[in-house]
Amino acid sequence: MLLAIDIGNTTIALAAVHRGEVTAVQHMDTPPLLSGGADPRVLVLRLNKALAIFRKKGYIFNKGVLCSVVPKILTVVERTIVKSMGFEPKVVGRDVIVPIKNRYKNPKQVGQDRLVGAYAALRLYGKPLIVIDLGTAITFDVVSTRGEYLGGVIVPGLRLSAESLFLKTALLPKIVLKAPGNIIGKTTEESMLSGLFY
């Protein structure tokens, strides 16, 4: 059984993978270690709690793979897996190279998450294609007719956009993200939600 962990800026996803099939998934918020003031023990506790839930459900892992866009979090997660699970996980970009031709001007600048998404979509759906990932940032990644990663577009995600509207304006409120009832908002909150979603 493989433990696959995707470490994003907002969320960490853990998945149990058996014979290429995802059989269970857990999510947790990514703690704000980027600021340097957060205690990494919080992450270790959350991670061990998630691993305990997997164990309770009968999942026994003998290998793992990590993909991360947050280097400080990656280090903590990697050490926790070694200590808690007894094996050293492979890290995408360091131990595992995504097998897709990367046509970025500087290939090292592309996030491993974007390459993994492009490669997975290529394997699942063929070529050419555009892969859209709705995360902290929304990314549009293009795979050519030759199956090569060409690059893409990065725009602020929904949460980031909502936070920006709240922080950078005097009168707009902080809102909870949810699907709006109508495209034409009848309140400030509805109008903001409509703008973010549509």
Side-chain angles (χ1 to χ4, degrees), residues 124-139:
L124 289 169
Y125 303 107
K127 56 195 175 190
L129 52 90
I130 297 173
V131 182
I132 303 169
D133 183 2
L134 305 170
T136 305
I138 298 171
T139 57

Side-chain angles (χ1 to χ4, degrees), residues 20-35:
E21 293 281 323
V22 175
T23 57
V25 176
Q26 293 188 60
H27 294 91
M28 66 178 75
D29 290 340
T30 303
L33 288 182
L34 295 173
S35 63

Side-chain angles (χ1 to χ4, degrees), residues 54-196:
F54 277 131
R55 279 191 212 100
K56 193 174 181 180
K57 292 181 178 179
Y59 293 102
I60 300 169
F61 301 105
N62 58 0
K63 56 189 170 184
V65 63
L66 307 176
C67 186
S68 177
V69 296
V70 190
K72 288 183 181 180
I73 300 286
L74 172 65
T75 304
V76 175
V77 171
E78 194 174 6
R79 273 189 264 150
T80 304
I81 297 300
V82 170
K83 191 172 181 179
S84 299
M85 307 300 288
F87 59 80
E88 193 168 324
K90 304 282 186 198
V91 176
V92 176
R94 184 187 75 199
D95 307 313
V96 178
I97 304 303
V98 181
I100 190 168
K101 184 72 175 173
N102 182 349
R103 293 291 184 190
Y104 228 52
K105 281 185 181 177
N106 181 352
K108 292 179 181 178
Q109 285 185 340
V110 182
Q112 295 300 312
D113 58 331
R114 294 175 71 190
L115 293 177
V116 166
Y119 179 69
L122 175 64
R123 292 291 306 265
L124 289 169
Y125 303 107
K127 56 195 175 190
L129 52 90
I130 297 173
V131 182
I132 303 169
D133 183 2
L134 305 170
T136 305
I138 298 171
T139 57
F140 295 76
D141 292 303
V142 180
V143 176
S144 73
T145 54
R146 300 169 111 177
E148 298 173 333
Y149 177 83
L150 299 179
V153 175
I154 302 172
V155 297
L158 295 180
R159 255 192 226 173
L160 208 53
S161 296
E163 292 261 330
S164 181
L165 284 173
F166 170 67
L167 293 172
K168 299 292 183 183
T169 61
L171 297 176
L172 294 181
K174 187 169 189 168
I175 60 171
V176 175
L177 287 174
K178 59 185 178 187
N182 295 301
I183 291 178
I184 299 173
K186 302 283 188 192
T187 66
T188 300
E189 181 181 277
E190 287 176 4
S191 297
M192 290 172 69
L193 285 171
S194 184
L196 290 166

Side-chain angles (χ1 to χ4, degrees), residues 28-50:
M28 66 178 75
D29 290 340
T30 303
L33 288 182
L34 295 173
S35 63
D39 187 347
R41 290 177 293 184
V42 172
L43 174 59
V44 172
L45 287 171
R46 287 183 192 169
L47 192 55
N48 280 325
K49 184 178 177 183

